[in-house]
Amino acid sequence: MADTVRIFDTTLRDGEQSPGVALTAQEKLAIAEQLARLGVDYLEAGFPQASEGDFDAVSRIASSIQGPSIVALARCNRQDIERAAQALEKAQNARIHVFIATSPIHMQAKLRMSPEEVLERIDAMVRLAKSYRDDVEFSCEDATRSHHDFLIRAGRIAVAAGASTLNFPDTVGYTSPREYFQLITAMREAIPDPDVILSVHCHDDLGMAVANTLAGIEAGCRQVEVAVNGIGERAGNASLEEVVMNLTARQDQYQVQHHIKTQEIYRASQLVSKLTGMTVQPNKAIVGKNAFRHESGIHQDGMLKDRSTYEIMTPETVGWGLSRLVLGKHSGRHALRQRLEELGLTATSQQIDQIQARIKELGELKSDINDQDLEAVWQEEVGQIRRSRHTKATAIALHEALSYLYERTQNVVA
């Protein structure tokens, strides 16, 4: 595993904690099935002690999902750990994920515990979790605002008690890549046990979650905790698709492998978006609507000659269809000519100039110019009506496009 990064997906736990999101057990199961197809190594199914619904969802996933190791979250207390163990009873492979805060602000203001009391709790509760499941992960909540010396003590105690994975979360999205690299390096040097996997879990409050996650990998972490579409508390978690495709497209830089079937990424993104109601922004990396769309004439010309001029990865690798050259006010003649040919529409060089002018004019007023719009403009400029099963729809599109242009022009004049 030295050169393989394990993908720990927390879409169904931290991701569901996104404000306004509430998934049913059936919806969680549907997402879990897709995550299994995606090939995640660990699937954090929920926080069983949080509610009966969470317990039921984790239990159903544990009993039916094959492939990933199913994970249940628990605070460092007996009730949480016992509840997590119960939810995981039918899982073929499972992990109990135990956590407690280690930063001064959290220990003082939230836990009302002394550092020594926290260390004693870690020892007792990791041992308890270990009595139920051989695979135990321990997380130091708010690790990036914790003292390094205290993190080392906490980590060593957790390992001695039976934890085989140590997670150092950037719980509030506070750290920077350089700071995180230094923290993980210090933990790796202080806890050099080759059987212990170091993990990172980053939030995006300052927009650095993916960058910090990659810094953790460079420092020696071999597990990353991520969520589909980057959903999660507040500004969200590190995005699974962005981390994975960085490791894929820049394998020369990171020199690690993963087990993700990247062709399933887009399907996972769409399912999570639909069931959570959280729309993916158009310019979102990898899975956004515009991720593989090209409108600039310069870019379109390059794409027609060689896709690698403007695409560092192909849309097929993440489950999209082919790249799309978008017609609009920025598009050029090459893309326009190609799309006309694909639609079976012929035009002279002069007519293409006229069609392009109208497309640019329409593009100032209409953000999405589709094939029916193009055919309507072609009919007007070329003076032909193409007989096809689309004739009626095309005529309607022509009427709507011309009416739209006329109304906007009149409004501007007025």
Side-chain angles (χ1 to χ4, degrees):
M1 294 297 294
D3 61 349
T4 301
V5 171
R6 302 176 183 184
I7 304 300
F8 179 115
D9 181 89
T10 188
T11 304
L12 297 179
R13 199 278 299 170
D14 201 332
E16 201 211 8
Q17 292 174 202
S18 302
V21 173
L23 297 169
T24 66
Q26 189 60 39
E27 289 170 335
K28 279 195 167 189
L29 184 60
I31 292 174
E33 289 171 347
Q34 176 57 28
L35 292 173
R37 286 191 290 268
L38 184 62
V40 301
D41 298 285
Y42 296 93
L43 195 166
E44 191 167 46
F47 186 0
Q49 182 66 8
S51 68
E52 286 299 321
D54 243 33
F55 179 87
D56 180 51
V58 175
S59 298
R60 291 178 64 177
I61 291 169
S63 63
S64 60
I65 298 298
Q66 302 296 314
S69 179
I70 309 303
V71 184
L73 185 69
R75 292 167 296 187
C76 265
N77 67 56
R78 180 174 292 275
Q79 293 85 354
D80 278 27
I81 293 169
E82 291 176 346
R83 193 68 167 157
Q86 291 170 8
L88 295 172
E89 280 181 353
K90 296 182 180 179
Q92 184 176 7
N93 295 300
R95 167 185 289 182
I96 297 178
H97 181 190
V98 182
F99 76 96
I100 194 170
T102 53
S103 67
I105 181 64
H106 275 242
M107 288 189 290
Q108 295 167 13
K110 185 180 74 172
L111 299 179
R112 305 294 174 90
M113 294 173 67
S114 70
E116 291 304 320
E117 287 174 324
V118 168
L119 295 177
E120 290 173 4
R121 182 71 64 84
I122 293 169
D123 180 62
M125 293 302 106
V126 171
R127 290 183 188 279
L128 177 62
K130 185 73 171 181
S131 71
Y132 288 106
R133 283 286 173 177
D134 188 56
D135 188 356
V136 176
E137 174 176 343
F138 172 70
S139 287
C140 302
E141 185 185 8
D142 204 21
T144 55
R145 294 194 295 174
S146 303
H147 298 310
H148 284 200
D149 289 346
F150 188 70
L151 285 179
I152 291 170
R153 292 180 66 192
R156 286 175 173 170
I157 287 173
V159 169
S164 54
T165 301
L166 294 179
N167 186 39
F168 299 98
D170 185 26
T171 304
V172 294
Y174 174 76
T175 198
S176 69
R178 179 166 27 174
E179 286 179 321
Y180 213 30
F181 182 91
Q182 292 170 346
L183 185 153
I184 299 303
T185 298
M187 297 305 108
R188 183 166 50 83
E189 292 174 349
I191 309 170
D193 189 335
D195 295 326
V196 175
I197 300 294
L198 300 190
S199 173
V200 292
H201 176 120
C202 299
H203 280 264
D204 209 33
D205 298 71
L206 293 175
M208 301 296 287
V210 170
N212 287 332
T213 298
L214 294 172
I217 292 171
E218 290 184 307
C221 280
R222 288 299 176 261
Q223 177 181 285
V224 293
E225 304 194 0
V226 292
V228 174
N229 296 338
I231 65 172
E233 289 274 10
R234 303 182 312 281
N237 289 272
S239 161
L240 179 149
E241 58 275 9
E242 293 177 26
V243 171
V244 166
M245 292 313 294
N246 265 278
L247 299 182
T248 302
R250 296 307 312 274
Q251 210 276 333
D252 61 315
Q253 177 73 23
Y254 299 103
Q255 298 182 6
V256 293
Q257 305 294 325
H258 59 76
H259 298 135
I260 296 297
K261 300 176 182 67
T262 62
Q263 295 83 358
E264 294 289 338
I265 284 177
Y266 182 65
R267 184 186 300 179
S269 170
Q270 289 292 291
L271 181 63
V272 169
S273 176
K274 177 181 178 180
L275 295 183
T276 62
M278 298 184 71
T279 304
V280 177
Q281 67 192 60
N283 63 322
K284 169 76 166 64
I286 317 301
V287 294
K289 177 182 177 182
N290 293 340
F292 296 97
R293 301 173 86 211
H294 307 267
E295 183 175 333
S296 164
I298 295 172
H299 289 219
Q300 291 176 341
D301 182 56
M303 283 290 295
L304 290 170
K305 293 172 179 174
D306 187 332
R307 291 172 67 180
S308 64
T309 54
Y310 287 101
E311 286 187 350
I312 60 172
M313 56 193 153
T314 65
E316 298 94 323
T317 60
V318 296
W320 279 94
L322 296 174
S323 309
R324 183 180 173 192
L325 304 185
V326 180
L327 296 180
K329 66 178 183 178
H330 301 112
S331 56
R333 284 173 53 88
H334 289 255
L336 175 59
R337 182 186 294 276
Q338 183 193 52
R339 193 67 194 130
L340 287 170
E341 291 175 354
E342 290 171 349
L343 293 172
L345 306 177
T346 59
T348 66
S349 180
Q350 182 179 1
Q351 288 169 339
I352 287 178
D353 287 340
Q354 294 169 341
I355 293 171
Q356 184 182 24
R358 293 304 303 274
I359 289 295
K360 287 182 177 291
E361 183 181 358
L362 187 58
E364 293 283 355
L365 305 173
K366 190 173 187 287
S367 60
D368 187 11
I369 297 176
N370 56 38
D371 290 344
Q372 290 185 352
D373 294 328
L374 176 58
E375 190 165 344
V377 173
W378 173 85
Q379 289 178 2
E380 183 186 13
E381 296 301 329
V382 178
Q384 298 182 41
I385 297 295
R386 187 167 69 127
R387 296 186 181 277
S388 73
R389 60 189 179 89
H390 300 298
T391 299
K392 183 177 179 180
T394 301
I396 294 172
L398 172 61
H399 172 74
E400 292 178 347
L402 294 178
S403 297
Y404 187 66
L405 283 170
Y406 177 78
E407 289 175 4
R408 289 299 297 267
T409 302
Q410 293 302 307
N411 290 336
V412 171
V413 171

